[in-house]
Amino acid sequence: LKSRCFVVAVMASENGVVDQILQTVQTGGPAVLFAANAFAAGFGLPTIPLNIYCGAAYGYVGGVLMYSLSATCGGLVTLLVVRSSLRPFILRRLKKYESKWKAMDMALAKEGPLFIVTLLRLSPAFPFFMASWILGLTSCPLPHFVAGTLVGIIPSSVPFAAAGAAASAAQSSDGSSVGQWIMTGLGLLATIALTWKLTKVAQKALESASAEQQHREA
């Protein structure tokens, strides 16, 4: 099983560091996979291959849970690093993004931190790593950060976990009927369509909140 999972995930990876992580994950258990994905998410490495690996190793539901929980932990580590004694140094390095995190802080206060964090995680315009850094510079409470991150990244993790589960099943196929494969494919397409719709709605809501905030400042 680990061999099949590794092949499926490596096929989706074009990053040498991620390939090394996958090599390590292959020889470890769930704890190693959890830590590896948390590290990748927390340090801005590509996580799609690991998301696929989660689905291939633990199935559709288990893969989504493994990926979402570990990525949330990685994001939390990033936020805590930003809020540590390194904050002055980070503020200097991210000076050009000052307007973004100040606007984000005001949006958090106006719309509510849980709502804004969830939208950020749903929106493809904000990479996971960068969103964690920006939120670390705001006054977002930790419980809202964790809950919003977990809820917000589940939809985007579903298609990749499902693809990993389907690819793993295909490699160990014991003659499943054509009808079963058709239903699996249709379910995957429906999931992708729903995820796309959610991301569009989230992006529109963020743009609306940003425009309203700019209008208030003017």
Side-chain angles (χ1 to χ4, degrees):
L1 174 61
K2 287 184 177 180
S3 178
R4 293 199 304 270
C5 297
F6 177 73
V7 171
V8 169
V10 167
M11 288 172 63
S13 174
E14 296 181 354
N15 185 289
V17 176
V18 176
D19 287 345
Q20 290 297 319
I21 292 176
L22 287 169
Q23 290 277 5
T24 302
V25 167
Q26 188 186 15
T27 61
V32 175
L33 176 57
F34 190 98
N37 192 58
F39 175 84
F43 288 89
L45 297 173
T47 58
I48 289 178
L50 287 162
N51 193 348
I52 294 172
Y53 187 100
C54 288
Y58 299 105
Y60 175 67
V61 176
V64 169
L65 290 176
M66 171 64 81
Y67 175 80
S68 300
L69 289 170
S70 56
T72 297
C73 285
L76 180 58
V77 169
T78 300
L79 180 134
L80 293 176
V81 168
V82 173
R83 292 182 175 180
S84 69
S85 57
L86 297 175
R87 183 182 175 87
F89 170 77
I90 293 171
L91 284 174
R92 290 195 298 271
R93 298 291 294 180
L94 298 181
K95 185 69 175 178
K96 62 180 179 180
Y97 297 107
E98 183 177 4
S99 60
K100 289 185 179 295
W101 63 260
K102 284 188 174 180
M104 187 66 64
D105 216 6
M106 289 185 283
L108 289 168
K110 182 178 184 298
E111 303 292 341
L114 181 59
F115 178 69
I116 294 297
V117 172
T118 302
L119 288 182
L120 274 176
R121 296 313 192 187
L122 285 168
S123 173
F126 284 86
F128 186 91
F129 176 68
M130 181 55 68
S132 297
W133 276 78
I134 292 175
L135 287 169
L137 295 172
T138 70
S139 57
C140 179
L142 289 182
H144 294 85
F145 175 87
V146 172
T149 296
L150 182 59
V151 172
I153 64 175
I154 285 177
S156 62
S157 72
V158 167
F160 299 111
S168 179
Q171 289 195 357
S172 59
S173 176
D174 55 358
S176 300
S177 69
V178 175
Q180 287 179 314
W181 283 110
I182 291 176
M183 291 303 296
T184 300
L186 289 175
L188 181 57
L189 288 175
T191 302
I192 293 173
L194 177 59
T195 302
W196 177 82
K197 182 63 176 178
L198 285 172
T199 57
K200 295 292 286 184
V201 170
Q203 183 62 27
K204 184 176 292 186
L206 280 174
E207 290 174 353
S208 176
S210 177
E212 183 178 346
Q213 188 61 50
Q214 291 178 0
H215 178 73
R216 287 166 60 88
E217 290 177 355

